[in-house]
Amino acid sequence: MKTLLLRSALVLAATVLPIFSAPVFGADASEGALRKTAGPLKIVSSLPRTGSANAQTTSMVNGIKMAIAEVGGKIGDQVLSYEDWDDASPQRGNWDPAVEAQNADKAIADAAVLAYIGTYNSGAAKISMPKLNAAGIVMVSPANTAPNLTKPGFGESNEPAVYRPSGKVNYFRVVPTDDVQGAVAADFAKELGAKKVFVLNDREVYGKGVAGVFEKRAKDIGLEVVGVDGIDAKASNYKSLVTKMKQAGAEVVYFGGTTQTNAGQLAKDIVSGGLKAKLIVPDGCYEKAFIEAAGDKALAGRAYITFGGVDPKLLEGKGKDFYESYKKTYGGEPEGYAVYGYEAAKVVIAAMQRIHAAGGTLTRESVLAEVGKTKDFTGALGTWSFDANGDTTNRTMSVNTVKDGDFTTVKVVN
Amino acid sequence: MSETEVFMQQVIYGLSNGMIIALVALGYTMVYGIIELINFAHGDVFTLGGFLALTVVGALGAAAIVDPGTLGDSSHWLLLFGLVIVCGLFCGGMNVAIDRIVYKPLRRAPKLTQLVAAIGVSFILVNLALFWGGAPMEVFGGGNAAAASKDFPELLEGSNLLGEDSNVVLRLEDIAIFVITIPLMIGLTLFVKKTRLGRGMRATAQNPVAAQLMGIDTNRVIAATFMIGGFLGGAASVMWSLYNNTISFQMGFRAGMDAFTAAVLGGIGSLPGAMIGGVLIGLIRAMSDQYIETRWTNVVVFGVLILILVFRPSGLLGLKQKEKV
């Protein structure tokens, strides 16, 4: 009986409260046009904060906070607040589809949210993209690199239309995509003098995508692909697989995957299994956690990590200002993606400022439209624009290796 | 590499991985044999064993251990045996405590209640491991990334025993697994067959009420079973860390799943069944990675399990369970 009472009270509360609160929101909306300066403005980010990507995402969140602090946390007189959401769960130690879906729903339900910065993993983007698209909220990813999210011809035949139920583009990214990255990796494998390559992926959206591009490019430039396989990211080791690659005579192993999908273990097993091939991995491994998981010994001089952009230390112009200011504010080196977090927030804020300067109202619709108009934007990553698909025109890539427990750049490709 | 070399190599890897799985599987099968409970927390007790091993190694000074100059000297074998005993006792004690606190009050409750309790304990332990991973120690990456995989230092020299030019790789860690696992298995078998407590275990497994009537302290027997199962799990966690050089708070999930599969494959409740099941799964995994494709390995493992269960529902060595009335 007691529980029944409690339950009916809850149901009552749940149904009645919105009725009472609705007029309040209604008033807000109708008066919005009159008092442009009122109404909260909010940017949220959805990144994997639990798990080994934490160091990377903390650095990205710092970048976003810096961008907001630079405008004093305000657009005109309106306060611009920021919330840092986690899309990972402890059970997975990695992004979780259920949590990412919740985050998207939460953003849609909160009328103050005008922009959604995220996601980190391309697989996660697939979940929130259609939701946010239908709601007309602008989404700017600082890290998704899977080409099929925005470009036709890379994934399923219904991609990317399936992510755009409204038919409009609401998803933008400030990072070059994997059709560039995978090709740079394949070219580099050839430069290393390899003739036979073995291509692995982690069976996730991002890993499979970038490995597919690598494989295609490798064949085009005359490398022999001696094997293709998908690994089990939760396996205890890959020693048997290493033996198979050894038998195939692999000189370069390409792994499309991330630190969270066991790239570290793979690097170790290549060494312990006596396979003398070099390992090339994409930007999902461009984080300190990868070096910690694999150990310096398994990587130094044997592993190469491609990254869409350059080492933060090598940034120029506004990027250099960012690097200096980051170190001063947070007292440490930024991880590779910090500057992308910063740039993503910057591009949204710049759009908001343009709307404000023109005397417009800041709504989801106006912010979305204005972000889409970003052209010849001069930011920390140089001067770039968003193309019709929502992708950046910036195509700078770097190839890095590991030395003394840190990344060092081997080559920059523009 | 010639076909024979490849095959030899896969047999080595299959056996090494399989032995570790078998050790964990023994913990599942022993507990099931005695109280018919699938102890889902076993895999996570195993995880904590790995974390204790890394903590001990870190406290002793990881730098001294990874110094190549001192590698392979007998003190490292001593450290390894020490770790097996320390982690074994820790996991055994942990298992006994879990039984006392959670399972014992539920002994007469419906089986499903116990099962759900076991899953609950499993979640608690996973989060405990996550918390432990944030320990402010150098070996834990300074405690900044609790959920990240941790690098477990090499305790034994890593060179190829068959010579650096040999295509087949056999390392000291492979040998260590055999040197530690096989005596443990023989010891366990003798213990259950020959000792008084072992007889008590077999009697309790057959019929707990009759065993109690015959004057066997069944609670003590059950506690001993949890202790031994946990000890083997702890030993396995050291082997696992040594072999893979990585630990993570999720390592018990896959190890536990493989081990549970092994226990079912061999016939749950049967000790030799769990050993054979573990080794079989290790070998099947290696062969599937080599001759089929890695992406199909899980399908192959569970396909074999289903096939065996279709033709022998109680597993390879399992006895037909009579429904107790």
Side-chain angles (χ1 to χ4, degrees), chain A residues 51 90-92 203 228-230 232 236-237 240-241 243-244 246-247 265 268 292 297, chain B residues 3 10 13 17 147 151 154 167 240 244-246 249-250 254 289-290 292 294-295 298:
Chain A
Q91 283 72 31
R92 292 173 60 106
R203 300 191 284 184
V228 178
D229 210 341
D232 172 2
S236 51
N237 58 55
S240 294
L241 176 62
T243 306
K244 189 179 186 179
K246 210 161 125 183
Q247 187 194 20
Q265 188 66 43
K268 277 181 192 173
E292 270 166 33
K297 192 183 137 211
Chain B
E3 280 299 327
Q10 298 297 11
Y13 287 151
N17 278 318
D151 187 35
E154 286 189 20
N167 278 326
W240 200 93
N244 297 319
N245 298 116
T246 309
F249 74 102
Q250 286 168 315
R254 175 48 61 84
D289 278 358
Q290 174 68 38
I292 305 173
T294 303
R295 69 185 107 182
N298 280 334

mmCIF file of all heavy atoms in Angstrom, chain A residues 51 90-92 203 228-230 232 236-237 240-241 243-244 246-247 265 268 292 297, chain B residues 3 10 13 17 147 151 154 167 240 244-246 249-250 254 289-290 292 294-295 298:
data_model
loop_
_atom_site.group_PDB
_atom_site.id
_atom_site.type_symbol
_atom_site.label_atom_id
_atom_site.label_comp_id
_atom_site.label_asym_id
_atom_site.label_seq_id
_atom_site.Cartn_x
_atom_site.Cartn_y
_atom_site.Cartn_z
ATOM 1 N N GLY A 51 37.200 6.047 -18.525
ATOM 2 C CA GLY A 51 37.956 5.114 -19.358
ATOM 3 C C GLY A 51 39.282 5.724 -19.740
ATOM 4 O O GLY A 51 39.617 6.841 -19.331
ATOM 5 N N PRO A 90 31.266 3.018 -16.984
ATOM 6 C CA PRO A 90 32.339 2.245 -16.346
ATOM 7 C C PRO A 90 32.337 0.792 -16.800
ATOM 8 O O PRO A 90 33.384 0.173 -16.905
ATOM 9 C CB PRO A 90 32.025 2.335 -14.853
ATOM 10 C CG PRO A 90 30.958 3.336 -14.689
ATOM 11 C CD PRO A 90 30.342 3.614 -16.012
ATOM 12 N N GLN A 91 31.153 0.259 -17.108
ATOM 13 C CA GLN A 91 31.092 -1.154 -17.512
ATOM 14 C C GLN A 91 31.862 -1.387 -18.801
ATOM 15 O O GLN A 91 32.463 -2.422 -18.993
ATOM 16 C CB GLN A 91 29.636 -1.611 -17.726
ATOM 17 C CG GLN A 91 28.878 -1.887 -16.453
ATOM 18 C CD GLN A 91 28.537 -0.618 -15.699
ATOM 19 O OE1 GLN A 91 28.345 0.429 -16.291
ATOM 20 N NE2 GLN A 91 28.510 -0.699 -14.382
ATOM 21 N N ARG A 92 31.822 -0.416 -19.701
ATOM 22 C CA ARG A 92 32.513 -0.590 -20.976
ATOM 23 C C ARG A 92 33.888 0.022 -20.965
ATOM 24 O O ARG A 92 34.739 -0.353 -21.762
ATOM 25 C CB ARG A 92 31.684 0.005 -22.109
ATOM 26 C CG ARG A 92 30.398 -0.777 -22.365
ATOM 27 C CD ARG A 92 29.521 -0.056 -23.367
ATOM 28 N NE ARG A 92 30.178 0.127 -24.633
ATOM 29 C CZ ARG A 92 29.893 -0.565 -25.728
ATOM 30 N NH1 ARG A 92 28.980 -1.481 -25.681
ATOM 31 N NH2 ARG A 92 30.518 -0.337 -26.837
ATOM 32 N N ARG A 203 36.666 -3.640 -35.753
ATOM 33 C CA ARG A 203 35.260 -3.910 -36.027
ATOM 34 C C ARG A 203 34.345 -2.816 -35.478
ATOM 35 O O ARG A 203 33.205 -3.078 -35.153
ATOM 36 C CB ARG A 203 34.848 -5.285 -35.499
ATOM 37 C CG ARG A 203 35.672 -6.380 -36.152
ATOM 38 C CD ARG A 203 35.129 -7.737 -35.869
ATOM 39 N NE ARG A 203 35.450 -8.172 -34.524
ATOM 40 C CZ ARG A 203 35.146 -9.369 -34.049
ATOM 41 N NH1 ARG A 203 34.492 -10.218 -34.786
ATOM 42 N NH2 ARG A 203 35.481 -9.715 -32.841
ATOM 43 N N VAL A 228 43.624 -9.494 -44.289
ATOM 44 C CA VAL A 228 42.722 -8.515 -43.682
ATOM 45 C C VAL A 228 41.950 -9.260 -42.605
ATOM 46 O O VAL A 228 41.485 -10.375 -42.836
ATOM 47 C CB VAL A 228 41.725 -7.960 -44.725
ATOM 48 C CG1 VAL A 228 40.758 -6.990 -44.078
ATOM 49 C CG2 VAL A 228 42.457 -7.286 -45.864
ATOM 50 N N ASP A 229 41.863 -8.693 -41.413
ATOM 51 C CA ASP A 229 41.107 -9.371 -40.359
ATOM 52 C C ASP A 229 40.580 -8.356 -39.358
ATOM 53 O O ASP A 229 41.068 -7.230 -39.285
ATOM 54 C CB ASP A 229 41.988 -10.414 -39.655
ATOM 55 C CG ASP A 229 41.173 -11.584 -39.116
ATOM 56 O OD1 ASP A 229 39.942 -11.437 -38.957
ATOM 57 O OD2 ASP A 229 41.761 -12.651 -38.861
ATOM 58 N N GLY A 230 39.567 -8.771 -38.610
ATOM 59 C CA GLY A 230 39.010 -7.924 -37.554
ATOM 60 C C GLY A 230 39.325 -8.566 -36.222
ATOM 61 O O GLY A 230 39.105 -9.760 -36.045
ATOM 62 N N ASP A 232 39.226 -9.042 -31.958
ATOM 63 C CA ASP A 232 38.290 -8.989 -30.849
ATOM 64 C C ASP A 232 38.931 -8.071 -29.802
ATOM 65 O O ASP A 232 39.952 -8.404 -29.222
ATOM 66 C CB ASP A 232 38.130 -10.424 -30.327
ATOM 67 C CG ASP A 232 37.343 -10.495 -29.044
ATOM 68 O OD1 ASP A 232 36.874 -9.445 -28.568
ATOM 69 O OD2 ASP A 232 37.201 -11.609 -28.523
ATOM 70 N N SER A 236 42.420 -11.550 -24.679
ATOM 71 C CA SER A 236 43.507 -11.343 -23.723
ATOM 72 C C SER A 236 44.827 -11.101 -24.438
ATOM 73 O O SER A 236 45.660 -10.347 -23.967
ATOM 74 C CB SER A 236 43.597 -12.516 -22.767
ATOM 75 O OG SER A 236 43.645 -13.723 -23.480
ATOM 76 N N ASN A 237 45.052 -11.733 -25.574
ATOM 77 C CA ASN A 237 46.246 -11.422 -26.355
ATOM 78 C C ASN A 237 46.040 -11.812 -27.815
ATOM 79 O O ASN A 237 45.049 -12.454 -28.166
ATOM 80 C CB ASN A 237 47.492 -12.116 -25.774
ATOM 81 C CG ASN A 237 47.338 -13.613 -25.698
ATOM 82 O OD1 ASN A 237 47.047 -14.262 -26.702
ATOM 83 N ND2 ASN A 237 47.508 -14.187 -24.523
ATOM 84 N N SER A 240 48.432 -15.555 -31.365
ATOM 85 C CA SER A 240 48.156 -16.458 -32.481
ATOM 86 C C SER A 240 48.022 -15.689 -33.787
ATOM 87 O O SER A 240 48.509 -16.118 -34.828
ATOM 88 C CB SER A 240 46.874 -17.237 -32.222
ATOM 89 O OG SER A 240 47.047 -18.083 -31.127
ATOM 90 N N LEU A 241 47.366 -14.532 -33.696
ATOM 91 C CA LEU A 241 47.201 -13.698 -34.886
ATOM 92 C C LEU A 241 48.555 -13.206 -35.390
ATOM 93 O O LEU A 241 48.812 -13.155 -36.598
ATOM 94 C CB LEU A 241 46.292 -12.521 -34.536
ATOM 95 C CG LEU A 241 46.070 -11.475 -35.615
ATOM 96 C CD1 LEU A 241 45.395 -12.096 -36.820
ATOM 97 C CD2 LEU A 241 45.215 -10.333 -35.073
ATOM 98 N N THR A 243 51.351 -14.732 -35.164
ATOM 99 C CA THR A 243 51.976 -15.843 -35.878
ATOM 100 C C THR A 243 51.462 -15.923 -37.313
ATOM 101 O O THR A 243 52.224 -16.138 -38.255
ATOM 102 C CB THR A 243 51.676 -17.163 -35.145
ATOM 103 O OG1 THR A 243 52.091 -17.018 -33.798
ATOM 104 C CG2 THR A 243 52.375 -18.332 -35.794
ATOM 105 N N LYS A 244 50.169 -15.719 -37.455
ATOM 106 C CA LYS A 244 49.588 -15.769 -38.791
ATOM 107 C C LYS A 244 50.170 -14.652 -39.674
ATOM 108 O O LYS A 244 50.482 -14.860 -40.842
ATOM 109 C CB LYS A 244 48.072 -15.605 -38.675
ATOM 110 C CG LYS A 244 47.362 -15.849 -39.977
ATOM 111 C CD LYS A 244 45.870 -15.713 -39.818
ATOM 112 C CE LYS A 244 45.168 -16.098 -41.104
ATOM 113 N NZ LYS A 244 43.715 -16.004 -40.955
ATOM 114 N N LYS A 246 53.044 -13.298 -39.284
ATOM 115 C CA LYS A 246 54.447 -13.631 -39.517
ATOM 116 C C LYS A 246 54.552 -14.576 -40.717
ATOM 117 O O LYS A 246 55.390 -14.408 -41.597
ATOM 118 C CB LYS A 246 54.981 -14.320 -38.257
ATOM 119 C CG LYS A 246 56.445 -14.112 -37.979
ATOM 120 C CD LYS A 246 56.694 -14.421 -36.520
ATOM 121 C CE LYS A 246 57.767 -15.461 -36.349
ATOM 122 N NZ LYS A 246 57.966 -15.813 -34.935
ATOM 123 N N GLN A 247 53.660 -15.562 -40.719
ATOM 124 C CA GLN A 247 53.670 -16.531 -41.817
ATOM 125 C C GLN A 247 53.357 -15.836 -43.145
ATOM 126 O O GLN A 247 53.921 -16.186 -44.183
ATOM 127 C CB GLN A 247 52.630 -17.619 -41.536
ATOM 128 C CG GLN A 247 52.692 -18.746 -42.554
ATOM 129 C CD GLN A 247 51.465 -19.620 -42.477
ATOM 130 O OE1 GLN A 247 50.419 -19.223 -41.967
ATOM 131 N NE2 GLN A 247 51.594 -20.835 -42.992
ATOM 132 N N GLN A 265 47.875 -3.818 -26.540
ATOM 133 C CA GLN A 265 48.158 -5.249 -26.440
ATOM 134 C C GLN A 265 48.692 -5.777 -27.773
ATOM 135 O O GLN A 265 49.628 -6.576 -27.800
ATOM 136 C CB GLN A 265 46.873 -6.001 -26.055
ATOM 137 C CG GLN A 265 47.081 -7.463 -25.746
ATOM 138 C CD GLN A 265 47.926 -7.667 -24.504
ATOM 139 O OE1 GLN A 265 47.746 -6.988 -23.506
ATOM 140 N NE2 GLN A 265 48.865 -8.589 -24.558
ATOM 141 N N LYS A 268 52.317 -4.962 -28.155
ATOM 142 C CA LYS A 268 53.152 -5.831 -27.309
ATOM 143 C C LYS A 268 53.307 -7.216 -27.905
ATOM 144 O O LYS A 268 54.393 -7.791 -27.896
ATOM 145 C CB LYS A 268 52.480 -6.004 -25.948
ATOM 146 C CG LYS A 268 52.749 -4.898 -24.999
ATOM 147 C CD LYS A 268 52.041 -5.211 -23.705
ATOM 148 C CE LYS A 268 52.070 -3.977 -22.854
ATOM 149 N NZ LYS A 268 51.281 -4.126 -21.646
ATOM 150 N N GLU A 292 51.281 4.428 -22.466
ATOM 151 C CA GLU A 292 51.229 3.777 -21.155
ATOM 152 C C GLU A 292 50.784 2.327 -21.266
ATOM 153 O O GLU A 292 51.319 1.451 -20.602
ATOM 154 C CB GLU A 292 50.273 4.531 -20.221
ATOM 155 C CG GLU A 292 50.970 5.623 -19.437
ATOM 156 C CD GLU A 292 49.969 6.577 -18.791
ATOM 157 O OE1 GLU A 292 48.877 6.138 -18.404
ATOM 158 O OE2 GLU A 292 50.311 7.772 -18.690
ATOM 159 N N LYS A 297 58.832 0.283 -24.843
ATOM 160 C CA LYS A 297 59.651 -0.700 -25.543
ATOM 161 C C LYS A 297 58.960 -1.265 -26.789
ATOM 162 O O LYS A 297 59.610 -1.518 -27.806
ATOM 163 C CB LYS A 297 59.962 -1.836 -24.551
ATOM 164 C CG LYS A 297 61.034 -2.782 -25.017
ATOM 165 C CD LYS A 297 61.213 -3.912 -24.019
ATOM 166 C CE LYS A 297 61.350 -5.213 -24.755
ATOM 167 N NZ LYS A 297 60.826 -6.351 -24.009
ATOM 168 N N GLU B 3 54.695 -24.689 -42.599
ATOM 169 C CA GLU B 3 53.415 -25.074 -41.998
ATOM 170 C C GLU B 3 53.600 -25.740 -40.637
ATOM 171 O O GLU B 3 52.831 -25.504 -39.711
ATOM 172 C CB GLU B 3 52.655 -26.008 -42.946
ATOM 173 C CG GLU B 3 51.934 -25.295 -44.080
ATOM 174 C CD GLU B 3 50.866 -24.305 -43.597
ATOM 175 O OE1 GLU B 3 50.243 -24.570 -42.555
ATOM 176 O OE2 GLU B 3 50.680 -23.263 -44.249
ATOM 177 N N GLN B 10 51.348 -22.380 -32.826
ATOM 178 C CA GLN B 10 49.964 -22.229 -32.362
ATOM 179 C C GLN B 10 49.662 -23.198 -31.223
ATOM 180 O O GLN B 10 48.874 -22.877 -30.335
ATOM 181 C CB GLN B 10 48.971 -22.415 -33.515
ATOM 182 C CG GLN B 10 49.096 -21.397 -34.639
ATOM 183 C CD GLN B 10 48.815 -19.969 -34.209
ATOM 184 O OE1 GLN B 10 48.717 -19.664 -33.027
ATOM 185 N NE2 GLN B 10 48.720 -19.053 -35.165
ATOM 186 N N TYR B 13 51.065 -21.506 -28.093
ATOM 187 C CA TYR B 13 50.190 -20.416 -27.632
ATOM 188 C C TYR B 13 48.868 -20.963 -27.104
ATOM 189 O O TYR B 13 48.342 -20.504 -26.096
ATOM 190 C CB TYR B 13 49.920 -19.415 -28.764
ATOM 191 C CG TYR B 13 51.106 -18.538 -29.103
ATOM 192 C CD1 TYR B 13 51.284 -18.035 -30.381
ATOM 193 C CD2 TYR B 13 52.041 -18.199 -28.128
ATOM 194 C CE1 TYR B 13 52.361 -17.215 -30.695
ATOM 195 C CE2 TYR B 13 53.123 -17.387 -28.428
ATOM 196 C CZ TYR B 13 53.283 -16.899 -29.715
ATOM 197 O OH TYR B 13 54.344 -16.099 -30.017
ATOM 198 N N ASN B 17 47.715 -20.272 -23.254
ATOM 199 C CA ASN B 17 46.457 -19.582 -22.967
ATOM 200 C C ASN B 17 45.458 -20.531 -22.318
ATOM 201 O O ASN B 17 44.738 -20.159 -21.396
ATOM 202 C CB ASN B 17 45.856 -19.005 -24.257
ATOM 203 C CG ASN B 17 46.481 -17.671 -24.629
ATOM 204 O OD1 ASN B 17 46.710 -16.829 -23.776
ATOM 205 N ND2 ASN B 17 46.770 -17.499 -25.906
ATOM 206 N N ALA B 147 40.606 3.732 -15.461
ATOM 207 C CA ALA B 147 40.043 2.693 -16.310
ATOM 208 C C ALA B 147 41.002 2.248 -17.416
ATOM 209 O O ALA B 147 40.708 1.321 -18.146
ATOM 210 C CB ALA B 147 38.742 3.184 -16.933
ATOM 211 N N ASP B 151 50.247 -1.317 -17.894
ATOM 212 C CA ASP B 151 51.363 -2.111 -18.390
ATOM 213 C C ASP B 151 51.924 -2.924 -17.230
ATOM 214 O O ASP B 151 52.275 -2.375 -16.201
ATOM 215 C CB ASP B 151 52.425 -1.161 -18.950
ATOM 216 C CG ASP B 151 53.547 -1.919 -19.629
ATOM 217 O OD1 ASP B 151 53.261 -2.954 -20.240
ATOM 218 O OD2 ASP B 151 54.696 -1.473 -19.534
ATOM 219 N N GLU B 154 57.686 -6.917 -17.432
ATOM 220 C CA GLU B 154 58.134 -8.280 -17.719
ATOM 221 C C GLU B 154 58.923 -8.792 -16.538
ATOM 222 O O GLU B 154 59.902 -8.187 -16.126
ATOM 223 C CB GLU B 154 59.016 -8.281 -18.972
ATOM 224 C CG GLU B 154 58.215 -8.102 -20.231
ATOM 225 C CD GLU B 154 59.046 -8.325 -21.480
ATOM 226 O OE1 GLU B 154 60.106 -8.965 -21.376
ATOM 227 O OE2 GLU B 154 58.629 -7.850 -22.540
ATOM 228 N N ASN B 167 62.101 -19.527 -36.025
ATOM 229 C CA ASN B 167 60.800 -18.948 -36.352
ATOM 230 C C ASN B 167 59.789 -19.189 -35.254
ATOM 231 O O ASN B 167 58.873 -18.414 -35.050
ATOM 232 C CB ASN B 167 60.283 -19.534 -37.663
ATOM 233 C CG ASN B 167 60.900 -18.839 -38.854
ATOM 234 O OD1 ASN B 167 61.160 -17.638 -38.802
ATOM 235 N ND2 ASN B 167 61.158 -19.602 -39.898
ATOM 236 N N TRP B 240 48.418 -14.824 -15.950
ATOM 237 C CA TRP B 240 47.792 -14.011 -17.005
ATOM 238 C C TRP B 240 48.542 -12.694 -17.177
ATOM 239 O O TRP B 240 48.864 -12.290 -18.292
ATOM 240 C CB TRP B 240 46.339 -13.749 -16.604
ATOM 241 C CG TRP B 240 45.416 -13.369 -17.711
ATOM 242 C CD1 TRP B 240 44.644 -14.217 -18.434
ATOM 243 C CD2 TRP B 240 45.134 -12.055 -18.195
ATOM 244 N NE1 TRP B 240 43.898 -13.506 -19.343
ATOM 245 C CE2 TRP B 240 44.177 -12.182 -19.220
ATOM 246 C CE3 TRP B 240 45.592 -10.781 -17.872
ATOM 247 C CZ2 TRP B 240 43.669 -11.101 -19.919
ATOM 248 C CZ3 TRP B 240 45.092 -9.695 -18.559
ATOM 249 C CH2 TRP B 240 44.138 -9.860 -19.573
ATOM 250 N N ASN B 244 50.463 -11.713 -20.572
ATOM 251 C CA ASN B 244 49.944 -10.673 -21.466
ATOM 252 C C ASN B 244 50.580 -9.321 -21.227
ATOM 253 O O ASN B 244 50.424 -8.408 -22.037
ATOM 254 C CB ASN B 244 48.434 -10.551 -21.303
ATOM 255 C CG ASN B 244 47.736 -11.825 -21.690
ATOM 256 O OD1 ASN B 244 48.100 -12.447 -22.673
ATOM 257 N ND2 ASN B 244 46.780 -12.238 -20.904
ATOM 258 N N ASN B 245 51.245 -9.153 -20.085
ATOM 259 C CA ASN B 245 51.888 -7.880 -19.741
ATOM 260 C C ASN B 245 50.927 -6.702 -19.706
ATOM 261 O O ASN B 245 51.337 -5.561 -19.880
ATOM 262 C CB ASN B 245 53.044 -7.541 -20.696
ATOM 263 C CG ASN B 245 54.133 -8.573 -20.644
ATOM 264 O OD1 ASN B 245 54.388 -9.244 -21.623
ATOM 265 N ND2 ASN B 245 54.735 -8.736 -19.493
ATOM 266 N N THR B 246 49.660 -6.985 -19.532
ATOM 267 C CA THR B 246 48.680 -5.896 -19.427
ATOM 268 C C THR B 246 47.633 -6.338 -18.421
ATOM 269 O O THR B 246 47.237 -7.501 -18.438
ATOM 270 C CB THR B 246 47.942 -5.678 -20.764
ATOM 271 O OG1 THR B 246 48.900 -5.553 -21.797
ATOM 272 C CG2 THR B 246 47.089 -4.430 -20.722
ATOM 273 N N PHE B 249 40.765 -3.438 -15.536
ATOM 274 C CA PHE B 249 39.684 -3.826 -14.620
ATOM 275 C C PHE B 249 38.670 -4.739 -15.292
ATOM 276 O O PHE B 249 37.839 -5.324 -14.640
ATOM 277 C CB PHE B 249 39.007 -2.575 -14.039
ATOM 278 C CG PHE B 249 38.123 -1.847 -15.008
ATOM 279 C CD1 PHE B 249 36.746 -1.986 -14.954
ATOM 280 C CD2 PHE B 249 38.665 -1.027 -15.966
ATOM 281 C CE1 PHE B 249 35.927 -1.319 -15.850
ATOM 282 C CE2 PHE B 249 37.854 -0.354 -16.871
ATOM 283 C CZ PHE B 249 36.489 -0.506 -16.807
ATOM 284 N N GLN B 250 38.750 -4.850 -16.611
ATOM 285 C CA GLN B 250 37.796 -5.705 -17.316
ATOM 286 C C GLN B 250 38.377 -7.068 -17.666
ATOM 287 O O GLN B 250 37.720 -7.862 -18.309
ATOM 288 C CB GLN B 250 37.344 -5.022 -18.598
ATOM 289 C CG GLN B 250 36.396 -3.884 -18.348
ATOM 290 C CD GLN B 250 36.209 -3.049 -19.590
ATOM 291 O OE1 GLN B 250 37.178 -2.725 -20.265
ATOM 292 N NE2 GLN B 250 34.990 -2.698 -19.893
ATOM 293 N N ARG B 254 36.453 -11.324 -19.798
ATOM 294 C CA ARG B 254 36.741 -12.274 -20.859
ATOM 295 C C ARG B 254 37.331 -13.568 -20.305
ATOM 296 O O ARG B 254 36.947 -14.669 -20.709
ATOM 297 C CB ARG B 254 37.679 -11.640 -21.888
ATOM 298 C CG ARG B 254 38.165 -12.552 -22.987
ATOM 299 C CD ARG B 254 37.053 -13.346 -23.625
ATOM 300 N NE ARG B 254 36.019 -12.548 -24.262
ATOM 301 C CZ ARG B 254 36.098 -12.079 -25.484
ATOM 302 N NH1 ARG B 254 37.143 -12.317 -26.219
ATOM 303 N NH2 ARG B 254 35.116 -11.392 -25.988
ATOM 304 N N ASP B 289 42.250 -18.680 -34.952
ATOM 305 C CA ASP B 289 42.953 -17.458 -35.358
ATOM 306 C C ASP B 289 43.818 -17.731 -36.578
ATOM 307 O O ASP B 289 43.937 -16.921 -37.478
ATOM 308 C CB ASP B 289 43.863 -16.955 -34.221
ATOM 309 C CG ASP B 289 43.077 -16.152 -33.196
ATOM 310 O OD1 ASP B 289 41.872 -15.965 -33.398
ATOM 311 O OD2 ASP B 289 43.682 -15.725 -32.194
ATOM 312 N N GLN B 290 44.460 -18.908 -36.582
ATOM 313 C CA GLN B 290 45.380 -19.229 -37.652
ATOM 314 C C GLN B 290 44.660 -19.690 -38.917
ATOM 315 O O GLN B 290 44.907 -19.176 -39.995
ATOM 316 C CB GLN B 290 46.355 -20.323 -37.179
ATOM 317 C CG GLN B 290 47.270 -20.846 -38.267
ATOM 318 C CD GLN B 290 48.281 -19.797 -38.728
ATOM 319 O OE1 GLN B 290 48.797 -19.018 -37.910
ATOM 320 N NE2 GLN B 290 48.561 -19.752 -40.022
ATOM 321 N N ILE B 292 41.214 -20.151 -39.552
ATOM 322 C CA ILE B 292 39.960 -19.550 -40.023
ATOM 323 C C ILE B 292 40.247 -18.056 -40.079
ATOM 324 O O ILE B 292 41.037 -17.632 -40.882
ATOM 325 C CB ILE B 292 38.761 -19.947 -39.123
ATOM 326 C CG1 ILE B 292 38.692 -21.484 -39.053
ATOM 327 C CG2 ILE B 292 37.459 -19.400 -39.709
ATOM 328 C CD1 ILE B 292 37.691 -22.021 -38.086
ATOM 329 N N THR B 294 40.473 -14.429 -37.265
ATOM 330 C CA THR B 294 40.301 -13.968 -35.891
ATOM 331 C C THR B 294 38.873 -13.517 -35.626
ATOM 332 O O THR B 294 38.316 -13.757 -34.576
ATOM 333 C CB THR B 294 41.268 -12.811 -35.613
ATOM 334 O OG1 THR B 294 42.576 -13.282 -35.879
ATOM 335 C CG2 THR B 294 41.185 -12.354 -34.178
ATOM 336 N N ARG B 295 38.299 -12.853 -36.627
ATOM 337 C CA ARG B 295 36.953 -12.324 -36.391
ATOM 338 C C ARG B 295 35.922 -13.421 -36.176
ATOM 339 O O ARG B 295 34.844 -13.184 -35.665
ATOM 340 C CB ARG B 295 36.543 -11.393 -37.525
ATOM 341 C CG ARG B 295 36.307 -12.083 -38.836
ATOM 342 C CD ARG B 295 36.021 -11.090 -39.937
ATOM 343 N NE ARG B 295 37.160 -10.967 -40.842
ATOM 344 C CZ ARG B 295 37.197 -10.137 -41.864
ATOM 345 N NH1 ARG B 295 36.206 -9.334 -42.090
ATOM 346 N NH2 ARG B 295 38.251 -10.084 -42.649
ATOM 347 N N ASN B 298 35.348 -16.236 -31.840
ATOM 348 C CA ASN B 298 34.300 -16.421 -30.825
ATOM 349 C C ASN B 298 33.169 -17.301 -31.340
ATOM 350 O O ASN B 298 32.620 -18.115 -30.605
ATOM 351 C CB ASN B 298 33.738 -15.069 -30.379
ATOM 352 C CG ASN B 298 34.646 -14.407 -29.363
ATOM 353 O OD1 ASN B 298 35.384 -15.087 -28.649
ATOM 354 N ND2 ASN B 298 34.615 -13.093 -29.306
#
